Amino acid sequence: MKAMFNFCLVAASLALASCVFIVSADQAEWEEAANRHAVNRDTRLPAHSRADRVASVNGRIEIGPDSELNGISSVNGPIWVGARSRLARIESVNGEILLKDGVQLHQDIQSVNGPVHLQPGSAVGGSVRLVNGTLNAERARIGGSVETVHGEIVLLDASRVERGLQVRSSGKGGHHPVRILLGEGVVVAGLSRFEQPVQIFRHASATLGDYQGEDVSILDWSQR
């Protein structure tokens, strides 16, 4: 919960930050626009772009394929990262995050109130940290853990998580169990910790490592 709280503070301060970049469809214009604010408008980078940090408030961020960035931050808008792009980290509040085929992200994804989609061949070197959104991963690799409070976790098509699943306590009772789907060929390595009730729908070919939790239901894939 401490990590979630710290992230919420960062996200709240983003709306007041002064280092927000706008990127136009022209790479030369991007270099001239690097110190402007992206507020209440969409931000787009063309294919093969190179940038440090891209951030937005109340607008969509769309990154073209084969691009390289340090970080992306957004409040109230989706983030779409084009195929085969490489970047360090993503932070989002109230918006969808989509990593298209083959995207390589070296550090963490942190998301509050928005779904995260990892398309086939994408990889996250760190952890995927959620609060309320759903994670959907297809043939993806996550080098850290998947952490959530209320969001559903869906791992499909031989996706792999190296450091377990972490379902954090919300501090309040009465919630429905968190749903976790482990599809065909999925591997969850490391120790998983479940601090609130969970229902795990596991395919016969999926592997779940050791776990801790007082209310864990392991159900057949057909019951999902």
Side-chain angles (χ1 to χ4, degrees):
M1 293 299 291
K2 181 178 180 181
M4 182 185 72
F5 177 73
N6 289 340
F7 173 55
C8 289
L9 288 179
V10 172
S13 66
L14 176 61
L16 301 176
S18 61
C19 56
V20 181
F21 299 161
I22 295 176
V23 183
S24 74
D26 186 287
Q27 187 68 21
E29 292 180 17
W30 145 245
E31 295 175 356
E32 296 176 358
N35 292 313
R36 298 180 188 174
H37 295 263
V39 179
N40 298 326
R41 70 184 72 183
D42 293 340
T43 301
R44 296 183 179 89
L45 274 71
H48 304 284
S49 291
R50 303 293 182 268
D52 180 21
R53 182 178 177 85
V54 176
S56 176
V57 178
N58 300 329
R60 180 174 70 247
I61 296 176
E62 186 172 356
I63 309 300
D66 301 297
S67 295
E68 293 185 12
L69 298 91
N70 184 27
I72 303 175
S73 301
S74 175
V75 176
N76 300 330
I79 297 171
W80 301 338
V81 181
R84 301 173 303 281
S85 292
R86 297 176 181 273
L87 61 160
R89 62 192 179 275
I90 295 177
E91 299 171 348
S92 175
V93 178
N94 301 329
E96 173 193 34
I97 297 172
L98 170 63
L99 303 189
K100 295 186 179 180
D101 297 5
V103 169
Q104 306 292 307
L105 189 140
H106 302 299
Q107 299 177 20
D108 296 340
I109 293 176
Q110 299 189 92
S111 175
V112 178
N113 300 331
V116 175
H117 305 280
L118 306 181
Q119 290 191 349
S122 58
V124 177
S127 296
V128 178
R129 297 187 170 98
L130 313 167
V131 178
N132 297 317
T134 296
L135 168 66
N136 285 278
E138 303 175 52
R139 208 170 72 249
R141 181 184 179 278
I142 298 169
S145 62
V146 176
E147 304 176 14
T148 188
V149 178
H150 302 300
E152 185 173 86
I153 299 172
V154 182
L155 304 175
L156 304 173
D157 300 334
S159 291
R160 184 178 179 92
V161 178
E162 298 294 346
R163 300 185 64 181
L165 310 176
Q166 316 294 327
V167 178
R168 305 299 188 187
S169 172
S170 65
K172 300 178 181 180
H175 292 288
H176 294 294
V178 173
R179 283 169 49 93
I180 300 172
L181 280 66
L182 306 180
E184 185 173 359
V186 165
V187 175
V188 177
L191 177 65
S192 295
R193 295 182 174 89
F194 306 118
E195 298 176 1
Q196 57 177 308
V198 298
Q199 290 182 331
I200 301 175
F201 299 87
R202 184 173 61 181
H203 190 278
S205 64
T207 300
L208 173 65
D210 294 338
Y211 61 86
Q212 298 173 349
E214 296 182 357
D215 192 348
V216 180
S217 299
I218 307 291
L219 305 171
D220 186 77
W221 183 250
S222 64
Q223 296 178 270
R224 67 193 188 280

